[in-house]
Amino acid sequence: MPRTMMPTPPLTPLALLPTAQVLPHHIIASIAQYIELSTTETPLSIKSSNIDIPIPSKELVPLAAVCQSWRAVVDPLVYRVAAHCTSSSSPYTFNSKHLPKLSVAIERKKQHLVRQLYLFIDLSELFTAESFMSFLEFAETVCGAMLSVYKLALIPTYSKYMWQASSEQDAVATMDISTVMDKFFTCIRSLTPNARIVTASNGSGYRAYRRYKKDHDHAMALLPGLFAERTTQLVVDQVNLSRPQVGRLVPGMLRSIYISGYKGRQTHVELIQRHAPWLERLEIVNFTVHAIAKLTWGPTTTSTRFYPRLKRLCIASVVGFRTKKMRQPTVDPFPALEVLDCRSSFPFTTSVVLGGGQSHLRVLKLRMDTELFETMERGGLLNEASYKRLEVISLAWAERSSFGRQEHSERMLLKSFEVGAKTQVVYANRLTIPDFDLVLPKIRLMNTLRVLDFQETALTIAQAVVLLSGFPKLHEASLFLREVPGDRSRRMPTAEEVAEFGKRFIDCQSSVSFLNISKTQFANSRRAGEYIVLMTNVLPSVTRVRIDCSTKIRSKKVCKGIKFALQRAIYRFKRVQEIQYVGED
């Protein structure tokens, strides 16, 4: 008997489909990324931790309902982050309505799209047989390994309050901690075999940690069991490490290490030293000056430990002060370093690190003190074009260094524009310069400068116009605008004053297209808005201005002042009206 063929449904002509359904995927992706950037939620910060969980924008969800093509593009953005808690009584941090849950992704069969997995481990319940079996049952519902997960975060939490009796936990059959954690990590490792970034954070707070310190230490001591063969990055936040734990980490495994807390204990230093030949990125927070210096100590008293592959070094919240008696490296320990970002007092007393970086540093960000500034000047490290490859420079005073700020600020500002041969980005922050008009003619004008950041150095609008007009390839600038010193008027500029200001700068040519106003210092917000419009009136290249003051209320008031100014007849011509002013909604 001949086989009958089922009739195929006629194809729908493209002309009959809605425009949205025939858009190419790269256009849909651009639309989704734009919406996410403009409407994204503030990352959820875990209490007492430096971990931020990126929250996908809820505005993306309706886009997935347009059609199958849109869903294929949007779903990987919506489900790329997921979190799960091992506890039946979830802690407060996990109850956040914004936190994307792994159970939701599994329910909708989207677990294969998860890229970042955050596990809240409730140590007050995990070591009970009932809780542990509950987690194993949950793991089975995942239906196989989550091969797409590249970032795994382990965050200990505690659902029991301090005053609750420990007898509640003792009433349930308690399993051996080592057995539990071994099986637990084996389970996680089988779920996320491709995890390259592993984070361990004490995100529960110090008081709760003291209550469950024994369980916490047992859990963290078995941390190496969480590592898969492909793990290359380790984040240790407020977690102590033991020597056996450091010894279990195979040398050469890690390419990136971030360590915060405990002021850089010996085990933290040994962990970094153990992986020194292979490290490409190192971030250390809340280390003592002595602990940072020890990172460069070699096996003998006169030798230096090298980091031959290290390209990025970030240092923040340094504890203590450097002394000349402290042992220092005799040669540059970072011969391949490209980014040196020191957000606290510089820990090295000699100029070996900074001097060695003259040939290879691309980004140099330093928080200076008077001693360091004078040392660099004497050593010729701040001479013109002394850093051959430098692209980004930021010289600012350290928070606890107030002596000599006004005396050296002018010289530091001028050096910021001189030290790099081909500098593209200059940050000039925390510099107090009483008479900026005297400094302006001395600034070295560069054809390579693309971005200028004066967020914490105050300028009048006249000074800002002259400064921005001096760099022919400048595209972006961040400014702190203020009144002319001594002007206490609260009125708006008259039509004659606006015309006179325009004639004064009629020959100024600028290329800057985007302005970010980070702070304003005027008699009132209405006047601040007026002077911002007046400044953009004489900068014909500006197309977008963002008002990003310290508070949302302040930003809204300045934006309102701009709207009032644009209603005046003196600004009612096409170019000024077409400038996009963006502020807090």
Side-chain angles (χ1 to χ4, degrees):
M1 185 174 179
R3 182 179 297 176
T4 58
M5 301 294 295
M6 294 294 293
T8 58
L11 296 175
T12 305
L14 292 178
L16 299 181
L17 291 173
T19 304
Q21 295 187 20
V22 296
L23 286 176
H25 277 199
H26 70 278
I27 299 296
I28 301 173
S30 298
I31 294 172
Q33 289 171 3
Y34 174 79
I35 291 177
E36 184 173 37
L37 288 174
S38 58
T39 62
T40 186
E41 299 280 356
T42 302
L44 174 67
S45 295
I46 306 303
K47 185 177 181 182
S48 301
S49 172
N50 292 323
I51 290 183
D52 288 334
I53 300 180
I55 308 298
S57 173
K58 57 186 178 183
E59 302 297 333
L60 291 174
V61 177
L63 299 184
V66 174
C67 65
Q68 187 174 356
S69 297
W70 284 67
R71 191 178 304 114
V73 175
V74 174
D75 277 355
L77 296 175
V78 175
Y79 296 102
R80 72 182 186 276
V81 177
H84 177 71
C85 185
T86 62
S87 173
S88 57
S89 53
S90 302
Y92 172 76
T93 52
F94 192 73
N95 279 330
S96 170
K97 62 180 180 180
H98 300 293
L99 193 60
K101 295 178 175 59
L102 179 60
S103 57
V104 175
I106 294 174
E107 180 183 344
R108 298 173 183 175
K109 298 182 179 180
K110 304 293 183 182
Q111 65 268 25
H112 63 283
L113 299 176
V114 177
R115 302 274 291 160
Q116 301 181 34
L117 180 60
Y118 296 83
L119 287 176
F120 294 82
I121 302 178
D122 189 349
L123 295 181
S124 60
E125 290 188 1
L126 179 64
F127 304 112
T128 64
E130 180 181 359
S131 178
F132 180 68
M133 293 307 297
S134 175
F135 177 78
L136 291 182
E137 291 175 3
F138 170 80
E140 291 177 358
T141 65
V142 177
C143 304
M146 301 173 67
L147 301 178
S148 60
V149 173
Y150 76 93
K151 182 175 183 178
L152 176 64
L154 193 69
I155 308 168
T157 58
Y158 310 88
S159 62
K160 304 296 184 183
Y161 289 105
M162 293 285 294
W163 52 84
Q164 285 185 284
S166 59
S167 58
E168 293 183 15
Q169 184 173 350
D170 297 336
V172 185
T174 302
M175 301 175 64
D176 177 68
I177 291 177
S178 298
T179 303
V180 170
M181 295 308 296
D182 185 58
K183 292 182 179 180
F184 177 73
F185 285 148
T186 300
C187 179
I188 295 176
R189 197 166 57 246
S190 63
L191 283 176
T192 59
N194 296 331
R196 301 190 304 274
I197 306 174
V198 176
T199 298
S201 172
N202 179 28
S204 55
Y206 180 68
R207 292 181 64 199
Y209 168 70
R210 290 182 62 189
R211 166 64 176 85
Y212 295 99
K213 184 178 185 300
K214 182 179 179 180
D215 291 346
H216 184 281
D217 289 345
H218 273 288
M220 292 298 103
L222 295 167
L223 177 64
L226 189 60
F227 281 80
E229 294 180 357
R230 300 187 181 185
T231 303
T232 60
Q233 299 184 45
L234 172 64
V235 178
V236 178
D237 180 38
Q238 306 296 329
V239 173
N240 193 16
L241 299 173
S242 64
R243 277 194 172 86
Q245 184 177 359
V246 172
R248 291 177 194 169
L249 299 176
V250 181
M253 172 189 292
L254 299 178
R255 297 291 184 271
S256 174
I257 295 179
Y258 171 98
I259 298 184
S260 172
Y262 285 96
K263 298 183 180 180
R265 288 192 175 182
Q266 181 62 28
T267 50
H268 292 158
V269 173
E270 290 176 3
L271 170 65
I272 296 172
Q273 290 177 336
R274 186 179 175 85
H275 296 269
W278 302 275
L279 279 181
E280 297 175 3
R281 176 170 180 160
L282 175 61
E283 296 188 47
I284 46 181
V285 181
N286 194 28
F287 270 43
T288 64
V289 173
H290 184 69
I292 296 174
K294 287 169 67 176
L295 295 177
T296 63
W297 292 1
T300 64
T301 56
T302 58
S303 62
T304 298
R305 186 179 302 275
F306 290 96
Y307 295 74
R309 298 184 181 181
L310 192 68
K311 296 184 181 299
R312 184 182 183 91
L313 174 61
C314 297
I315 303 172
S317 302
V318 176
V319 179
F321 296 90
R322 60 180 184 271
T323 61
K324 294 182 179 180
K325 295 181 180 180
M326 190 179 301
R327 177 180 163 188
Q328 296 291 318
T330 54
V331 292
D332 184 12
F334 315 113
L337 194 64
E338 296 181 358
V339 178
L340 176 56
D341 184 0
C342 186
R343 306 167 204 164
S344 186
S345 299
F346 193 66
F348 300 104
T349 58
T350 65
S351 57
V352 169
V353 174
L354 295 174
Q358 288 180 303
S359 61
H360 49 76
L361 278 176
R362 292 189 302 103
V363 178
L364 178 61
K365 297 182 178 181
L366 291 178
R367 294 292 176 87
M368 309 280 277
D369 53 65
T370 308
E371 181 185 359
L372 176 62
F373 182 71
E374 292 177 347
T375 300
M376 292 184 70
E377 276 196 320
R378 287 195 302 268
L381 301 181
L382 296 178
N383 292 345
E384 185 172 340
S386 57
Y387 288 84
K388 307 303 180 185
R389 299 184 57 197
L390 198 64
E391 298 174 3
V392 180
I393 178 70
S394 174
L395 301 180
W397 292 115
E399 291 183 1
R400 57 189 183 186
S401 175
S402 57
F403 174 75
R405 283 192 181 182
Q406 291 190 9
E407 179 185 351
H408 296 86
S409 289
E410 178 180 330
R411 282 157 50 202
M412 188 183 295
L413 176 65
L414 297 177
K415 294 296 183 182
S416 299
F417 291 93
E418 295 176 1
V419 294
K422 299 179 181 179
T423 307
Q424 298 181 22
V425 182
V426 170
Y427 294 88
N429 295 328
R430 301 188 180 190
L431 302 180
T432 304
I433 302 176
D435 195 346
F436 201 86
D437 289 325
L438 298 177
V439 181
L440 269 173
K442 303 177 185 178
I443 293 178
R444 174 176 170 248
L445 304 180
M446 299 176 291
N447 293 330
T448 58
L449 193 66
R450 304 298 178 89
V451 179
L452 184 61
D453 191 320
F454 267 63
Q455 289 194 37
E456 297 179 28
T457 301
L459 301 173
T460 65
I461 62 168
Q463 293 167 348
V465 170
V466 173
L467 182 65
L468 299 181
S469 302
F471 303 99
K473 294 185 179 180
L474 188 66
H475 293 319
E476 179 181 333
S478 295
L479 301 174
F480 168 14
L481 298 177
R482 66 170 182 176
E483 295 267 18
V484 175
D487 186 357
R488 299 184 178 181
S489 174
R490 300 179 65 87
R491 64 174 179 82
M492 303 304 114
T494 63
E496 291 76 14
E497 290 172 334
V498 172
E500 181 182 350
F501 190 82
K503 291 179 181 179
R504 178 182 172 187
F505 297 104
I506 194 170
D507 294 330
C508 288
Q509 299 293 326
S510 70
S511 60
V512 63
S513 59
F514 173 72
L515 289 179
N516 179 69
I517 310 301
S518 63
K519 188 176 181 180
T520 59
Q521 227 175 48
F522 290 87
N524 51 61
S525 301
R526 172 74 172 83
R527 187 172 166 89
E530 179 84 29
Y531 274 91
I532 290 173
V533 174
L534 178 59
M535 180 181 66
T536 57
N537 184 35
V538 298
L539 294 172
S541 59
V542 175
T543 59
R544 190 166 183 262
V545 179
R546 176 173 177 81
I547 310 301
D548 189 20
C549 297
S550 55
T551 64
K552 289 185 178 181
I553 295 177
R554 178 64 177 169
S555 297
K556 287 180 179 179
K557 288 182 177 180
V558 174
C559 287
K560 190 175 181 180
I562 291 175
K563 291 180 180 179
F564 278 121
L566 292 174
Q567 294 174 6
R568 297 183 63 182
I570 53 177
Y571 300 119
R572 286 184 184 175
F573 47 91
K574 187 176 181 181
R575 196 199 66 77
V576 174
Q577 294 293 331
E578 286 182 347
I579 296 176
Q580 183 183 7
Y581 295 93
V582 182
E584 297 288 349
D585 296 330

